[in-house]
Amino acid sequence: MLLIRCPYCEQDLPELEFRNAGEAHVVRSGNLVAESDEDFERFLFIRENPKGIIYERWRHIHGCGRFFNAVRNTVSDKFLMTYKAGEKKPESLPGDAK
Amino acid sequence: MANQVTATRRPAQSGRDTSARNVKLAVLPPAERISLRAPAGAVEALSRALGLALPVRPCTSATAEGRTALWLGPDEWLVLDEKGGDLLAACAGVEALHSAVGISHRNVAIAVTGPGAETTISAGCPRDLALEAFSVGACARTVLGKIEIVLLRTGEEAFRVECWRSFSDYAFTFLDDAARDAAS
Ligand SMILES: [Zn+2]
């Protein structure tokens, strides 16, 4: 079982308590009406789906209930770090980020 | 002539208990409960009103005079009163922003005690329940088998399992099986 660090509970906790909530840092336009169809499509449907480092939203649904962000390697499934919702995308990653 | 009818309140699972070697399970008597949500700025006023310091450190609880407040999230607590005190009335006078919802009857509590208590709960709970990781007074919303529970360690060999009433049959039966396994 994966252990995921909840930045609110400040502990590494079993993955059974968590739920993935899609890609992180997808910015919703402040004025959706003015958006072109292409931009709206990009916002709503188009995702990075990288092989390697991905920034995701996770929710500690069976714990403190909070959404937070996680950096995960999609190849190894290793969680590199987690940080609170609303915090900026980290500029550097710890350890073996490559 | 009016007939007098008496209704007897019979809470879910009331009276169920199990005694296996090393583990005892008991459905606890009804308690007053609220789900409390509040921002950091309201914690002090609510603590004063409730007569106990709402814990702000993750996964910790505070107890005073039969009342226990369990940290569930950064702005969420489960507050229990086992002496029947009116928790909603206590919060009603607080002007600081908060939400207090009465959930006394939503939950059923099961006490799991004895040297095999930790093993019994670990049969369905993925958390590390070793004393170093989950000390006396530690609490958490987590899972037990297929359901969500709130777990509180009340002693080195004692836990309180709070689950939603409609899941209480499942929770008790699950723990009952696990207790027998822990005993063997
Ligand atoms: Zn959490």
Side-chain angles (χ1 to χ4, degrees):
Chain A
M1 190 178 308
L2 289 172
L3 291 176
I4 303 173
R5 185 166 190 84
C6 173
Y8 295 95
C9 293
E10 298 167 3
Q11 291 173 69
D12 296 328
L13 295 165
E15 64 172 305
L16 284 180
E17 295 185 359
F18 295 83
R19 187 173 293 172
N20 181 289
E23 200 169 302
H25 304 293
V26 176
V27 181
R28 186 186 177 92
S29 160
N31 187 3
L32 282 178
V33 182
E35 286 237 307
S36 69
D37 285 354
E38 289 71 29
D39 283 348
F40 187 72
E41 183 199 20
R42 207 170 299 124
F43 156 70
L44 197 59
F45 298 114
I46 308 300
R47 295 293 178 263
E48 290 286 331
N49 194 24
K51 181 178 181 181
I53 302 299
I54 189 172
Y55 295 79
E56 295 172 310
R57 296 169 78 227
W58 281 75
R59 188 177 180 202
H60 192 191
I61 187 162
H62 298 301
C64 68
R66 289 296 150 141
F67 283 92
F68 60 91
N69 294 326
V71 190
R72 184 171 65 92
N73 187 317
T74 58
V75 179
S76 64
D77 233 3
K78 185 174 159 58
F79 280 75
L80 298 169
M81 65 177 293
T82 57
Y83 49 103
K84 290 181 177 176
E87 287 180 5
K88 281 215 170 63
K89 202 168 174 170
E91 277 166 15
S92 60
L93 296 173
D96 49 348
K98 286 284 129 30
Chain B
M1 195 174 66
N3 283 333
Q4 190 100 28
V5 179
T6 355
T8 314
R9 188 171 158 208
R10 202 173 158 277
Q13 318 307 326
S14 69
R16 276 178 86 171
D17 59 42
T18 295
S19 242
R21 198 158 60 86
N22 291 336
V23 198
K24 274 195 166 59
L25 300 182
V27 173
L28 292 169
E32 292 296 310
R33 298 174 177 89
I34 56 167
S35 166
L36 184 64
R37 305 287 308 260
V43 168
E44 210 187 305
L46 285 163
S47 296
R48 225 175 303 121
L50 288 165
L52 89 189
L54 289 174
V56 291
R57 262 196 317 127
C59 300
T60 58
S61 64
T63 302
E65 311 271 331
R67 258 177 206 187
T68 308
L70 292 78
W71 185 100
L72 295 186
D75 63 1
E76 183 181 1
W77 295 265
L78 169 66
V79 189
L80 311 167
D81 191 313
E82 291 177 278
K83 291 184 176 167
D86 193 340
L87 296 164
L88 283 172
C91 293
V94 176
E95 287 190 8
L97 177 69
H98 70 279
S99 146
V101 180
I103 53 163
S104 304
H105 300 238
R106 190 192 72 181
N107 286 17
V108 168
I110 302 167
V112 185
T113 52
E118 194 183 300
T119 314
T120 299
I121 295 169
S122 289
C125 178
R127 285 231 177 194
D128 184 357
L129 299 181
L131 207 50
E132 309 85 70
F134 202 80
S135 52
V136 177
C139 63
R141 186 158 43 200
T142 179
V143 288
L144 178 78
K146 293 181 182 182
I147 61 168
E148 189 173 285
I149 57 163
V150 171
L151 185 64
L152 168 67
R153 188 174 212 137
T154 50
E156 288 196 9
E157 295 178 347
F159 294 85
R160 181 185 179 105
V161 174
E162 289 262 334
C163 68
W164 285 24
R165 184 183 49 203
S166 53
F167 297 136
S168 57
D169 186 31
Y170 175 89
F172 194 92
T173 309
F174 189 102
L175 291 169
D176 189 68
D177 283 346
R180 283 168 216 284
D181 285 350
S184 63

